[in-house]
Amino acid sequence: LSVYDFQKRSSLIEVSEAGAQKLGRIASVLAHGEGLQAHARAAQMRLE
């Protein structure tokens, strides 16, 4: 065991508006492919 077994780690990621538009479309396609309809819809809503 190590200290990492007892810690929760989180990442904060920033993306530009243009990057968000591109990544949102990709995330939506991937989510649909994995059967994660709510995740796909959330990505699509961020594009609107």
Side-chain angles (χ1 to χ4, degrees):
L1 291 176
S2 73
V3 69
Y4 297 112
D5 295 312
F6 301 96
Q7 286 183 328
K8 178 181 178 182
R9 291 181 274 172
S10 300
S11 298
L12 298 176
I13 301 169
E14 280 189 47
V15 65
S16 67
E17 181 66 30
Q21 292 295 317
K22 184 174 183 177
L23 291 175
R25 287 186 203 93
I26 294 168
S28 178
V29 169
L30 289 173
H32 273 294
E34 294 177 357
L36 302 171
Q37 304 310 320
H39 286 284
R41 185 67 186 128
Q44 290 170 346
M45 288 178 72
R46 288 183 173 90
L47 297 174
E48 296 173 3

